[in-house]
Amino acid sequence: QVQLVESGGGVVQPGGSLRLSCAASGFSFSSYGMHWVRQAPGKGLEWVAFIRHDGTNKYYADSVKGRFTISRDSSKNTLYLQMNSLRSEDTAVYYCAKEVIGYHAFDPWGQGTLVTVSS
Amino acid sequence: QSALTQPASVSGSPGQSITISCTGTSSDVGGYDYVSWYQQHAGIAPKLMIYDVIKRPSGVSSRFSGSKSGSTASLTISGLQAEDEAAYYCCSYAGSFTWVFGGGTKLTVL
């Protein structure tokens, strides 16, 4: 079945960098666009970034534009999120999610990885 | 990219029906029929319940239904069950390959 497994979270100081990974299995990874969505502790969901199935186009929320970069490696069936210039407000659980082709929805989601930005 | 507006909490007794609203603008909810709803139990990843305003993925109970009027979308859960207690989030496409979520609604089954 479809499985998404995030990794790479941890504690980082303000201004630091971190790279998250999302290992995909159970579907044709290169055929689907992929999203990152985050959830600050005790807060709601926030869409972060989307990459098209072939990696040609990438889109970002205003809150992370210029600091975060989404990418993918179809040879490894893996999605990435490079996060630079991290701020305390970036502290959150980061989920990767697969697009529903032809529809603007996210399904399924990974289990998430926690990023804590703190000195 | 302002968050969609949802009530912070709703509650209902087993067997009853509840409706959760999700209000946006003409740039998101009102401009596209691309509203989706997600259920999130505590500590678990969200699960898709409704997409394209009214469509239900296979495996999702028919007790869950969606609708939209103008810039407000709604999720209705009929025949409430204890297992429905969770947070619910709406999401709308906002154009130019961007999406916006609501703040979430905590459903309590009394």
Side-chain angles (χ1 to χ4, degrees), chain A residues 71-102:
Chain A
S71 63
R72 63 191 300 158
D73 185 340
S74 289
S75 69
K76 296 182 179 179
N77 285 353
T78 300
L79 174 73
Y80 302 101
L81 186 67
Q82 176 67 43
M83 304 185 295
N84 299 331
S85 303
L86 282 161
R87 307 166 179 166
S88 57
E89 55 263 37
D90 296 319
T91 294
V93 173
Y94 285 75
Y95 297 98
C96 63
K98 171 180 153 290
E99 74 164 336
V100 179
I101 287 184

PDB file of all heavy atoms in Angstrom, chain A residues 71-102:
ATOM      1  N   SER A  71      12.324  19.628  -3.285  1.00  0.00           N
ATOM      2  CA  SER A  71      12.942  18.929  -4.414  1.00  0.00           C
ATOM      3  C   SER A  71      12.586  17.447  -4.323  1.00  0.00           C
ATOM      4  O   SER A  71      12.006  17.002  -3.329  1.00  0.00           O
ATOM      5  CB  SER A  71      14.462  19.112  -4.408  1.00  0.00           C
ATOM      6  OG  SER A  71      15.031  18.544  -3.244  1.00  0.00           O
ATOM      7  N   ARG A  72      12.936  16.702  -5.361  1.00  0.00           N
ATOM      8  CA  ARG A  72      12.638  15.273  -5.370  1.00  0.00           C
ATOM      9  C   ARG A  72      13.685  14.532  -6.163  1.00  0.00           C
ATOM     10  O   ARG A  72      14.315  15.097  -7.075  1.00  0.00           O
ATOM     11  CB  ARG A  72      11.246  15.021  -5.951  1.00  0.00           C
ATOM     12  CG  ARG A  72      11.074  15.448  -7.403  1.00  0.00           C
ATOM     13  CD  ARG A  72       9.606  15.424  -7.804  1.00  0.00           C
ATOM     14  NE  ARG A  72       9.027  14.088  -7.676  1.00  0.00           N
ATOM     15  CZ  ARG A  72       7.725  13.852  -7.546  1.00  0.00           C
ATOM     16  NH1 ARG A  72       6.866  14.854  -7.505  1.00  0.00           N
ATOM     17  NH2 ARG A  72       7.279  12.612  -7.458  1.00  0.00           N
ATOM     18  N   ASP A  73      13.879  13.253  -5.819  1.00  0.00           N
ATOM     19  CA  ASP A  73      14.790  12.367  -6.527  1.00  0.00           C
ATOM     20  C   ASP A  73      14.000  11.113  -6.864  1.00  0.00           C
ATOM     21  O   ASP A  73      13.785  10.255  -5.985  1.00  0.00           O
ATOM     22  CB  ASP A  73      16.006  12.053  -5.661  1.00  0.00           C
ATOM     23  CG  ASP A  73      17.048  11.229  -6.396  1.00  0.00           C
ATOM     24  OD1 ASP A  73      16.705  10.578  -7.414  1.00  0.00           O
ATOM     25  OD2 ASP A  73      18.207  11.228  -5.961  1.00  0.00           O
ATOM     26  N   SER A  74      13.552  11.017  -8.106  1.00  0.00           N
ATOM     27  CA  SER A  74      12.707   9.880  -8.482  1.00  0.00           C
ATOM     28  C   SER A  74      13.495   8.572  -8.520  1.00  0.00           C
ATOM     29  O   SER A  74      12.905   7.501  -8.407  1.00  0.00           O
ATOM     30  CB  SER A  74      12.031  10.150  -9.831  1.00  0.00           C
ATOM     31  OG  SER A  74      11.046  11.155  -9.699  1.00  0.00           O
ATOM     32  N   SER A  75      14.820   8.646  -8.647  1.00  0.00           N
ATOM     33  CA  SER A  75      15.627   7.413  -8.631  1.00  0.00           C
ATOM     34  C   SER A  75      15.644   6.810  -7.225  1.00  0.00           C
ATOM     35  O   SER A  75      15.875   5.610  -7.059  1.00  0.00           O
ATOM     36  CB  SER A  75      17.050   7.681  -9.109  1.00  0.00           C
ATOM     37  OG  SER A  75      17.760   8.473  -8.172  1.00  0.00           O
ATOM     38  N   LYS A  76      15.384   7.660  -6.225  1.00  0.00           N
ATOM     39  CA  LYS A  76      15.361   7.190  -4.840  1.00  0.00           C
ATOM     40  C   LYS A  76      13.953   7.210  -4.248  1.00  0.00           C
ATOM     41  O   LYS A  76      13.777   6.938  -3.057  1.00  0.00           O
ATOM     42  CB  LYS A  76      16.279   8.071  -3.982  1.00  0.00           C
ATOM     43  CG  LYS A  76      17.747   7.993  -4.364  1.00  0.00           C
ATOM     44  CD  LYS A  76      18.603   8.851  -3.460  1.00  0.00           C
ATOM     45  CE  LYS A  76      20.092   8.737  -3.836  1.00  0.00           C
ATOM     46  NZ  LYS A  76      20.939   9.592  -2.974  1.00  0.00           N
ATOM     47  N   ASN A  77      12.953   7.581  -5.049  1.00  0.00           N
ATOM     48  CA  ASN A  77      11.570   7.698  -4.565  1.00  0.00           C
ATOM     49  C   ASN A  77      11.502   8.542  -3.288  1.00  0.00           C
ATOM     50  O   ASN A  77      10.847   8.162  -2.303  1.00  0.00           O
ATOM     51  CB  ASN A  77      10.957   6.319  -4.300  1.00  0.00           C
ATOM     52  CG  ASN A  77      10.582   5.600  -5.580  1.00  0.00           C
ATOM     53  OD1 ASN A  77      10.663   6.172  -6.670  1.00  0.00           O
ATOM     54  ND2 ASN A  77      10.219   4.343  -5.467  1.00  0.00           N
ATOM     55  N   THR A  78      12.196   9.663  -3.321  1.00  0.00           N
ATOM     56  CA  THR A  78      12.299  10.481  -2.115  1.00  0.00           C
ATOM     57  C   THR A  78      12.021  11.957  -2.413  1.00  0.00           C
ATOM     58  O   THR A  78      12.487  12.492  -3.414  1.00  0.00           O
ATOM     59  CB  THR A  78      13.687  10.340  -1.470  1.00  0.00           C
ATOM     60  OG1 THR A  78      13.898   8.958  -1.131  1.00  0.00           O
ATOM     61  CG2 THR A  78      13.789  11.169  -0.193  1.00  0.00           C
ATOM     62  N   LEU A  79      11.278  12.567  -1.504  1.00  0.00           N
ATOM     63  CA  LEU A  79      10.955  13.993  -1.529  1.00  0.00           C
ATOM     64  C   LEU A  79      11.787  14.682  -0.458  1.00  0.00           C
ATOM     65  O   LEU A  79      12.040  14.091   0.605  1.00  0.00           O
ATOM     66  CB  LEU A  79       9.469  14.186  -1.239  1.00  0.00           C
ATOM     67  CG  LEU A  79       8.925  15.605  -1.077  1.00  0.00           C
ATOM     68  CD1 LEU A  79       8.859  16.305  -2.434  1.00  0.00           C
ATOM     69  CD2 LEU A  79       7.556  15.562  -0.417  1.00  0.00           C
ATOM     70  N   TYR A  80      12.214  15.905  -0.732  1.00  0.00           N
ATOM     71  CA  TYR A  80      13.031  16.643   0.226  1.00  0.00           C
ATOM     72  C   TYR A  80      12.441  18.020   0.516  1.00  0.00           C
ATOM     73  O   TYR A  80      11.712  18.582  -0.291  1.00  0.00           O
ATOM     74  CB  TYR A  80      14.454  16.828  -0.307  1.00  0.00           C
ATOM     75  CG  TYR A  80      15.171  15.546  -0.622  1.00  0.00           C
ATOM     76  CD1 TYR A  80      15.275  15.085  -1.938  1.00  0.00           C
ATOM     77  CD2 TYR A  80      15.747  14.778   0.393  1.00  0.00           C
ATOM     78  CE1 TYR A  80      15.930  13.895  -2.233  1.00  0.00           C
ATOM     79  CE2 TYR A  80      16.404  13.597   0.106  1.00  0.00           C
ATOM     80  CZ  TYR A  80      16.489  13.153  -1.208  1.00  0.00           C
ATOM     81  OH  TYR A  80      17.139  11.980  -1.489  1.00  0.00           O
ATOM     82  N   LEU A  81      12.831  18.552   1.688  1.00  0.00           N
ATOM     83  CA  LEU A  81      12.556  19.950   2.004  1.00  0.00           C
ATOM     84  C   LEU A  81      13.806  20.511   2.670  1.00  0.00           C
ATOM     85  O   LEU A  81      14.138  20.133   3.793  1.00  0.00           O
ATOM     86  CB  LEU A  81      11.347  20.112   2.927  1.00  0.00           C
ATOM     87  CG  LEU A  81      10.931  21.561   3.177  1.00  0.00           C
ATOM     88  CD1 LEU A  81      10.391  22.200   1.888  1.00  0.00           C
ATOM     89  CD2 LEU A  81       9.885  21.660   4.289  1.00  0.00           C
ATOM     90  N   GLN A  82      14.508  21.379   1.951  1.00  0.00           N
ATOM     91  CA  GLN A  82      15.670  22.055   2.497  1.00  0.00           C
ATOM     92  C   GLN A  82      15.196  23.333   3.165  1.00  0.00           C
ATOM     93  O   GLN A  82      14.574  24.182   2.505  1.00  0.00           O
ATOM     94  CB  GLN A  82      16.679  22.373   1.387  1.00  0.00           C
ATOM     95  CG  GLN A  82      17.884  23.160   1.858  1.00  0.00           C
ATOM     96  CD  GLN A  82      18.771  22.364   2.797  1.00  0.00           C
ATOM     97  OE1 GLN A  82      19.043  21.183   2.562  1.00  0.00           O
ATOM     98  NE2 GLN A  82      19.226  22.989   3.874  1.00  0.00           N
ATOM     99  N   MET A  83      15.481  23.449   4.455  1.00  0.00           N
ATOM    100  CA  MET A  83      15.003  24.597   5.226  1.00  0.00           C
ATOM    101  C   MET A  83      16.208  25.399   5.713  1.00  0.00           C
ATOM    102  O   MET A  83      17.041  24.884   6.467  1.00  0.00           O
ATOM    103  CB  MET A  83      14.162  24.113   6.410  1.00  0.00           C
ATOM    104  CG  MET A  83      12.997  23.232   5.992  1.00  0.00           C
ATOM    105  SD  MET A  83      11.929  22.787   7.369  1.00  0.00           S
ATOM    106  CE  MET A  83      13.053  21.813   8.355  1.00  0.00           C
ATOM    107  N   ASN A  84      16.305  26.640   5.272  1.00  0.00           N
ATOM    108  CA  ASN A  84      17.385  27.535   5.668  1.00  0.00           C
ATOM    109  C   ASN A  84      16.836  28.724   6.452  1.00  0.00           C
ATOM    110  O   ASN A  84      15.621  28.966   6.448  1.00  0.00           O
ATOM    111  CB  ASN A  84      18.134  28.042   4.439  1.00  0.00           C
ATOM    112  CG  ASN A  84      18.779  26.925   3.632  1.00  0.00           C
ATOM    113  OD1 ASN A  84      19.152  25.887   4.188  1.00  0.00           O
ATOM    114  ND2 ASN A  84      18.915  27.135   2.332  1.00  0.00           N
ATOM    115  N   SER A  85      17.730  29.445   7.102  1.00  0.00           N
ATOM    116  CA  SER A  85      17.342  30.651   7.860  1.00  0.00           C
ATOM    117  C   SER A  85      16.143  30.372   8.757  1.00  0.00           C
ATOM    118  O   SER A  85      15.161  31.125   8.785  1.00  0.00           O
ATOM    119  CB  SER A  85      17.023  31.810   6.901  1.00  0.00           C
ATOM    120  OG  SER A  85      18.120  32.085   6.060  1.00  0.00           O
ATOM    121  N   LEU A  86      16.221  29.297   9.493  1.00  0.00           N
ATOM    122  CA  LEU A  86      15.078  28.866  10.310  1.00  0.00           C
ATOM    123  C   LEU A  86      14.775  29.840  11.431  1.00  0.00           C
ATOM    124  O   LEU A  86      15.681  30.455  12.018  1.00  0.00           O
ATOM    125  CB  LEU A  86      15.330  27.459  10.851  1.00  0.00           C
ATOM    126  CG  LEU A  86      15.106  26.345   9.816  1.00  0.00           C
ATOM    127  CD1 LEU A  86      15.781  25.055  10.229  1.00  0.00           C
ATOM    128  CD2 LEU A  86      13.614  26.142   9.579  1.00  0.00           C
ATOM    129  N   ARG A  87      13.478  29.972  11.718  1.00  0.00           N
ATOM    130  CA  ARG A  87      12.980  30.880  12.752  1.00  0.00           C
ATOM    131  C   ARG A  87      12.195  30.070  13.775  1.00  0.00           C
ATOM    132  O   ARG A  87      11.754  28.958  13.491  1.00  0.00           O
ATOM    133  CB  ARG A  87      12.061  31.925  12.121  1.00  0.00           C
ATOM    134  CG  ARG A  87      12.663  32.672  10.946  1.00  0.00           C
ATOM    135  CD  ARG A  87      11.583  33.420  10.169  1.00  0.00           C
ATOM    136  NE  ARG A  87      12.118  34.185   9.039  1.00  0.00           N
ATOM    137  CZ  ARG A  87      11.384  34.696   8.059  1.00  0.00           C
ATOM    138  NH1 ARG A  87      10.048  34.563   8.096  1.00  0.00           N
ATOM    139  NH2 ARG A  87      11.958  35.363   7.070  1.00  0.00           N
ATOM    140  N   SER A  88      11.960  30.651  14.923  1.00  0.00           N
ATOM    141  CA  SER A  88      11.206  29.943  15.962  1.00  0.00           C
ATOM    142  C   SER A  88       9.807  29.581  15.462  1.00  0.00           C
ATOM    143  O   SER A  88       9.273  28.523  15.831  1.00  0.00           O
ATOM    144  CB  SER A  88      11.111  30.805  17.223  1.00  0.00           C
ATOM    145  OG  SER A  88      10.506  32.057  16.931  1.00  0.00           O
ATOM    146  N   GLU A  89       9.252  30.420  14.612  1.00  0.00           N
ATOM    147  CA  GLU A  89       7.897  30.143  14.108  1.00  0.00           C
ATOM    148  C   GLU A  89       7.850  29.003  13.095  1.00  0.00           C
ATOM    149  O   GLU A  89       6.762  28.609  12.656  1.00  0.00           O
ATOM    150  CB  GLU A  89       7.266  31.404  13.499  1.00  0.00           C
ATOM    151  CG  GLU A  89       8.078  32.074  12.415  1.00  0.00           C
ATOM    152  CD  GLU A  89       8.912  33.229  12.948  1.00  0.00           C
ATOM    153  OE1 GLU A  89       9.436  33.125  14.093  1.00  0.00           O
ATOM    154  OE2 GLU A  89       9.052  34.236  12.212  1.00  0.00           O
ATOM    155  N   ASP A  90       8.989  28.471  12.723  1.00  0.00           N
ATOM    156  CA  ASP A  90       9.033  27.289  11.854  1.00  0.00           C
ATOM    157  C   ASP A  90       8.929  25.993  12.652  1.00  0.00           C
ATOM    158  O   ASP A  90       8.854  24.905  12.066  1.00  0.00           O
ATOM    159  CB  ASP A  90      10.325  27.272  11.029  1.00  0.00           C
ATOM    160  CG  ASP A  90      10.425  28.443  10.054  1.00  0.00           C
ATOM    161  OD1 ASP A  90       9.399  28.788   9.437  1.00  0.00           O
ATOM    162  OD2 ASP A  90      11.530  29.012   9.928  1.00  0.00           O
ATOM    163  N   THR A  91       8.937  26.104  13.969  1.00  0.00           N
ATOM    164  CA  THR A  91       8.784  24.917  14.814  1.00  0.00           C
ATOM    165  C   THR A  91       7.443  24.256  14.537  1.00  0.00           C
ATOM    166  O   THR A  91       6.391  24.890  14.656  1.00  0.00           O
ATOM    167  CB  THR A  91       8.875  25.299  16.301  1.00  0.00           C
ATOM    168  OG1 THR A  91      10.201  25.754  16.581  1.00  0.00           O
ATOM    169  CG2 THR A  91       8.544  24.107  17.194  1.00  0.00           C
ATOM    170  N   ALA A  92       7.472  22.989  14.147  1.00  0.00           N
ATOM    171  CA  ALA A  92       6.246  22.298  13.749  1.00  0.00           C
ATOM    172  C   ALA A  92       6.542  20.840  13.434  1.00  0.00           C
ATOM    173  O   ALA A  92       7.697  20.450  13.265  1.00  0.00           O
ATOM    174  CB  ALA A  92       5.636  22.958  12.507  1.00  0.00           C
ATOM    175  N   VAL A  93       5.476  20.065  13.351  1.00  0.00           N
ATOM    176  CA  VAL A  93       5.562  18.742  12.733  1.00  0.00           C
ATOM    177  C   VAL A  93       5.379  18.956  11.238  1.00  0.00           C
ATOM    178  O   VAL A  93       4.436  19.629  10.812  1.00  0.00           O
ATOM    179  CB  VAL A  93       4.480  17.791  13.272  1.00  0.00           C
ATOM    180  CG1 VAL A  93       4.488  16.484  12.474  1.00  0.00           C
ATOM    181  CG2 VAL A  93       4.703  17.511  14.756  1.00  0.00           C
ATOM    182  N   TYR A  94       6.296  18.398  10.458  1.00  0.00           N
ATOM    183  CA  TYR A  94       6.242  18.541   9.005  1.00  0.00           C
ATOM    184  C   TYR A  94       5.776  17.214   8.402  1.00  0.00           C
ATOM    185  O   TYR A  94       6.369  16.162   8.660  1.00  0.00           O
ATOM    186  CB  TYR A  94       7.608  18.932   8.453  1.00  0.00           C
ATOM    187  CG  TYR A  94       7.930  20.386   8.714  1.00  0.00           C
ATOM    188  CD1 TYR A  94       8.291  20.825   9.987  1.00  0.00           C
ATOM    189  CD2 TYR A  94       7.846  21.335   7.692  1.00  0.00           C
ATOM    190  CE1 TYR A  94       8.556  22.163  10.239  1.00  0.00           C
ATOM    191  CE2 TYR A  94       8.118  22.678   7.925  1.00  0.00           C
ATOM    192  CZ  TYR A  94       8.466  23.074   9.207  1.00  0.00           C
ATOM    193  OH  TYR A  94       8.730  24.411   9.447  1.00  0.00           O
ATOM    194  N   TYR A  95       4.699  17.293   7.623  1.00  0.00           N
ATOM    195  CA  TYR A  95       4.140  16.127   6.949  1.00  0.00           C
ATOM    196  C   TYR A  95       4.400  16.230   5.445  1.00  0.00           C
ATOM    197  O   TYR A  95       4.263  17.313   4.864  1.00  0.00           O
ATOM    198  CB  TYR A  95       2.630  16.058   7.132  1.00  0.00           C
ATOM    199  CG  TYR A  95       2.124  15.887   8.539  1.00  0.00           C
ATOM    200  CD1 TYR A  95       1.682  16.966   9.286  1.00  0.00           C
ATOM    201  CD2 TYR A  95       2.051  14.618   9.119  1.00  0.00           C
ATOM    202  CE1 TYR A  95       1.184  16.809  10.561  1.00  0.00           C
ATOM    203  CE2 TYR A  95       1.556  14.446  10.401  1.00  0.00           C
ATOM    204  CZ  TYR A  95       1.119  15.554  11.108  1.00  0.00           C
ATOM    205  OH  TYR A  95       0.620  15.384  12.380  1.00  0.00           O
ATOM    206  N   CYS A  96       4.708  15.107   4.828  1.00  0.00           N
ATOM    207  CA  CYS A  96       4.649  15.060   3.374  1.00  0.00           C
ATOM    208  C   CYS A  96       3.325  14.397   2.996  1.00  0.00           C
ATOM    209  O   CYS A  96       2.771  13.611   3.774  1.00  0.00           O
ATOM    210  CB  CYS A  96       5.824  14.312   2.762  1.00  0.00           C
ATOM    211  SG  CYS A  96       5.950  12.570   3.203  1.00  0.00           S
ATOM    212  N   ALA A  97       2.799  14.761   1.848  1.00  0.00           N
ATOM    213  CA  ALA A  97       1.521  14.214   1.402  1.00  0.00           C
ATOM    214  C   ALA A  97       1.526  14.104  -0.114  1.00  0.00           C
ATOM    215  O   ALA A  97       2.105  14.936  -0.813  1.00  0.00           O
ATOM    216  CB  ALA A  97       0.366  15.099   1.858  1.00  0.00           C
ATOM    217  N   LYS A  98       0.875  13.092  -0.598  1.00  0.00           N
ATOM    218  CA  LYS A  98       0.788  12.833  -2.039  1.00  0.00           C
ATOM    219  C   LYS A  98      -0.433  13.551  -2.607  1.00  0.00           C
ATOM    220  O   LYS A  98      -1.481  13.612  -1.974  1.00  0.00           O
ATOM    221  CB  LYS A  98       0.681  11.321  -2.246  1.00  0.00           C
ATOM    222  CG  LYS A  98       0.376  10.824  -3.631  1.00  0.00           C
ATOM    223  CD  LYS A  98       0.321   9.304  -3.589  1.00  0.00           C
ATOM    224  CE  LYS A  98      -0.580   8.724  -4.663  1.00  0.00           C
ATOM    225  NZ  LYS A  98      -2.005   9.006  -4.409  1.00  0.00           N
ATOM    226  N   GLU A  99      -0.282  14.097  -3.802  1.00  0.00           N
ATOM    227  CA  GLU A  99      -1.439  14.723  -4.429  1.00  0.00           C
ATOM    228  C   GLU A  99      -2.430  13.659  -4.895  1.00  0.00           C
ATOM    229  O   GLU A  99      -2.062  12.503  -5.141  1.00  0.00           O
ATOM    230  CB  GLU A  99      -1.024  15.568  -5.636  1.00  0.00           C
ATOM    231  CG  GLU A  99      -0.641  14.763  -6.866  1.00  0.00           C
ATOM    232  CD  GLU A  99      -0.598  15.595  -8.143  1.00  0.00           C
ATOM    233  OE1 GLU A  99      -1.264  16.636  -8.219  1.00  0.00           O
ATOM    234  OE2 GLU A  99       0.112  15.185  -9.080  1.00  0.00           O
ATOM    235  N   VAL A 100      -3.681  14.045  -5.009  1.00  0.00           N
ATOM    236  CA  VAL A 100      -4.692  13.208  -5.639  1.00  0.00           C
ATOM    237  C   VAL A 100      -4.785  13.718  -7.076  1.00  0.00           C
ATOM    238  O   VAL A 100      -5.264  14.834  -7.305  1.00  0.00           O
ATOM    239  CB  VAL A 100      -6.056  13.322  -4.938  1.00  0.00           C
ATOM    240  CG1 VAL A 100      -7.082  12.440  -5.643  1.00  0.00           C
ATOM    241  CG2 VAL A 100      -5.940  12.945  -3.467  1.00  0.00           C
ATOM    242  N   ILE A 101      -4.295  12.944  -8.011  1.00  0.00           N
ATOM    243  CA  ILE A 101      -4.182  13.416  -9.393  1.00  0.00           C
ATOM    244  C   ILE A 101      -5.533  13.890  -9.924  1.00  0.00           C
ATOM    245  O   ILE A 101      -6.543  13.191  -9.793  1.00  0.00           O
ATOM    246  CB  ILE A 101      -3.608  12.321 -10.312  1.00  0.00           C
ATOM    247  CG1 ILE A 101      -2.111  12.157 -10.035  1.00  0.00           C
ATOM    248  CG2 ILE A 101      -3.827  12.684 -11.773  1.00  0.00           C
ATOM    249  CD1 ILE A 101      -1.440  11.174 -10.961  1.00  0.00           C
ATOM    250  N   GLY A 102      -5.538  15.079 -10.484  1.00  0.00           N
ATOM    251  CA  GLY A 102      -6.755  15.627 -11.056  1.00  0.00           C
ATOM    252  C   GLY A 102      -7.621  16.351 -10.045  1.00  0.00           C
ATOM    253  O   GLY A 102      -8.624  16.969 -10.415  1.00  0.00           O
TER     254      GLY A 102
END
